[in-house]
Amino acid sequence: MKKIYSILIGASLLALCGVGVSSCSSSDDDFVDPDFKVPAYFTVTLPDTTFVKKEKFNAYVDENGEFQFYIDDLKQGHFFDMKILKFQVGNFPTNINTIDYTYSVGENSFEFFNSTDLANPKRNNGIIKITNIDRNDMLVSGNFSSLLLPSPLNQYMNQSFRITGSFENIPYERIGTNEAGYIFANVNGEDLRDMDVFSKFEGDILNGEIVMNARSKSMRKRMIKISFDKTLPIGSYDYAKVKVQYTSENGVVYVSNDKDEDLVGSVFRIDKIEPLTIDNKKVYAGKFTFKLKSKEGDMITLNFGDYKAKLSMKEVIITNPDPGTGGPGTGPEIPEL
C-alpha cells in the first residue's frame, strides 16, 4: 500500500510541476513528460481490510456501450464485479449500475452481496464515478462508494456493509457479439453502437484487396467498407494505401480521397494479423481515424475507431470489373443481407 501512495504522491508532484514551472524547475534537465501516466491499479476497501491489485484486469465495453470491470482473483475466494450502463465520464447511481461482491465461506459455498436493494430497487445506495477515459490508449479511471446488501440466498444472514475503492488507468477492450467481428467509431463526437462485420462466403479478397464490410444492426443504412492490399503487413497507413466508404443512418455516403488535403491526418492501423488455418481465415485487429467527405462536400470524422474482423482469405477475381469496384466509394453498394 505504501508503494501505491508513493506513486500517487509522485504523480501529484509531477502535475504541480507542470502547472508551476517557475517553482518546480530550475534547469532544462528537469523535464516533465506530458504523457506520464500513473501505473494501473485497483483498490477496494471493506470494513476490515483493503485489497490492492496492479495487474490482470478484466475491463470490457460491449456492443451496446455498457462497461464491465471484474476481478476474479482479488484474493483467494474473493470476487468483484462492476457494471455501468453508459461508458462515459460521469456519476452513476449503484441501484441501476451495479456492484457485486462475492466471497467464499467454505468449500463450494459463497456469500453474495449486491448494491441493488431488491426490496426497494429505486433506492440509491452509492455512486460509481468515471473520472477519465483515455480513448487513444483505451484506459479508464474512476472511483466508487456504495452500500452492499446480502443476497436473500445467503445462509449466514450477514449484515450490509459499505465498499469503497478506486481504479486508475485500467486497460479496457471492446467486445463484439458477432462471430465475424465488429467495427466501432465515434462519429463527430457521438459514440456509435458496434457495427457487425459480415464475411462473405465466396471470399473477402476482391482482385487482390481485402474488403472489410460492416453494418449497423439497429440502423440498416449505416455501413462501412474498408479495403487495402492483401499483402499489407502490421503497421500504420494513410489513404494512399487504404480506401474507406461510410454510409450514415440517413443514407449519405462519405468516402476517402488521398488527393484531398482536407482529409490529411487519417490513419488506419493494423495491430494484429492472426491466421486461422482451420477455415482459411485471418483475424485483423487495429484502430483508425478517418476523415471522410460526401459528394456535396460535407465532412465527418470517424475517431477513436477500432475493429476486429475474422475475414475469409478466399479470393474473388472479377476479370472485367466495373470502374472502381476494387475499393470503397466508387463501386456498387454493399448488398442487403
Side-chain angles (χ1 to χ4, degrees):
M1 178 61 83
K2 291 182 178 179
K3 187 174 182 180
I4 291 293
Y5 290 147
S6 299
I7 291 172
L8 293 174
I9 292 171
S12 301
L13 290 174
L14 283 171
L16 290 172
C17 289
V19 174
V21 175
S22 60
S23 62
C24 291
S25 179
S26 58
S27 71
D28 292 337
D29 294 333
D30 296 327
F31 173 72
V32 177
D33 183 354
D35 295 325
F36 174 81
K37 291 183 175 68
V38 175
Y41 71 88
F42 168 79
T43 68
V44 57
T45 298
L46 308 178
D48 57 349
T49 188
T50 296
F51 295 139
V52 180
K53 189 170 178 60
K54 294 180 283 185
E55 59 182 7
K56 295 182 180 179
F57 303 108
N58 304 285
Y60 303 96
V61 180
D62 72 12
E63 59 172 353
N64 297 315
E66 297 182 9
F67 175 69
Q68 181 179 14
F69 174 49
Y70 66 90
I71 303 289
D72 53 10
D73 58 349
L74 186 62
K75 183 188 175 184
Q76 185 80 25
H78 286 250
F79 309 93
F80 174 91
D81 192 330
M82 178 172 67
K83 296 178 182 178
I84 302 176
L85 298 181
K86 291 185 178 180
F87 188 54
Q88 61 188 37
V89 172
N91 300 334
F92 304 93
T94 58
N95 61 326
I96 301 174
N97 308 272
T98 58
I99 296 176
D100 294 287
Y101 198 89
T102 305
Y103 63 84
S104 173
V105 291
E107 187 176 356
N108 299 322
S109 182
F110 296 89
E111 290 288 273
F112 302 93
F113 295 84
N114 185 270
S115 59
T116 301
D117 186 345
L118 296 180
N120 184 11
K122 293 184 178 180
R123 174 188 174 187
N124 180 25
N125 290 310
I127 292 290
I128 302 170
K129 295 183 180 180
I130 293 184
T131 56
N132 185 61
I133 300 174
D134 183 337
R135 294 181 181 270
N136 289 315
D137 292 332
M138 299 182 74
L139 305 171
V140 58
S141 302
N143 54 71
F144 55 89
S145 177
S146 181
L147 187 70
L148 295 189
L149 296 91
S151 165
L153 299 177
N154 286 355
Q155 302 176 16
Y156 298 93
M157 301 300 293
N158 287 329
Q159 299 297 310
S160 303
F161 63 89
R162 179 158 293 277
I163 187 173
T164 61
S166 61
F167 48 99
E168 189 77 22
N169 288 327
I170 302 299
Y172 66 88
E173 300 178 21
R174 297 196 61 83
I175 54 174
T177 58
N178 183 38
E179 193 271 341
Y182 70 89
I183 297 179
F184 165 80
N186 176 290
V187 179
N188 288 347
E190 178 188 359
D191 283 355
L192 303 183
R193 288 190 176 187
D194 292 354
M195 290 182 282
D196 287 344
V197 169
F198 55 94
S199 178
K200 296 184 177 181
F201 175 77
E202 61 270 24
D204 293 316
I205 301 178
L206 176 61
N207 288 355
E209 286 196 333
I210 290 175
V211 182
M212 188 189 309
N213 292 302
R215 185 195 302 279
S216 169
K217 287 189 295 188
S218 57
M219 298 184 178
R220 300 293 290 173
K221 289 184 178 180
R222 180 181 285 162
M223 298 176 287
I224 190 168
K225 181 161 65 170
I226 305 169
S227 68
F228 49 92
D229 190 279
K230 67 179 182 180
T231 63
L232 219 58
I234 290 173
S236 296
Y237 304 96
D238 60 17
Y239 285 151
K241 296 289 186 180
V242 180
K243 306 184 191 74
V244 182
Q245 174 181 300
Y246 172 78
T247 305
S248 75
E249 63 274 18
N250 299 317
V252 180
V253 178
Y254 300 83
V255 298
S256 61
N257 185 346
D258 63 340
K259 308 300 182 188
D260 191 334
E261 293 184 357
D262 290 339
L263 308 183
V264 171
S266 300
V267 177
F268 177 72
R269 275 174 36 194
I270 302 175
D271 295 329
K272 181 176 77 170
I273 303 175
E274 180 183 349
L276 302 174
T277 54
I278 296 177
D279 50 6
N280 191 29
K281 291 186 177 182
K282 287 184 179 180
V283 174
Y284 281 78
K287 298 181 181 180
F288 60 81
T289 296
F290 294 147
K291 296 178 182 179
L292 305 171
K293 186 178 286 188
S294 70
K295 64 180 181 180
E296 291 80 16
D298 296 325
M299 281 185 56
I300 62 168
T301 299
L302 276 62
N303 211 0
F304 309 117
D306 67 289
Y307 64 93
K308 186 175 183 180
K310 184 189 293 185
L311 302 173
S312 170
M313 292 295 101
K314 292 191 294 185
E315 185 162 1
V316 178
I317 302 296
I318 300 178
T319 55
N320 294 302
D322 292 331
T325 52
T330 55
E333 291 292 322
I334 301 173
E336 292 291 333
L337 296 179

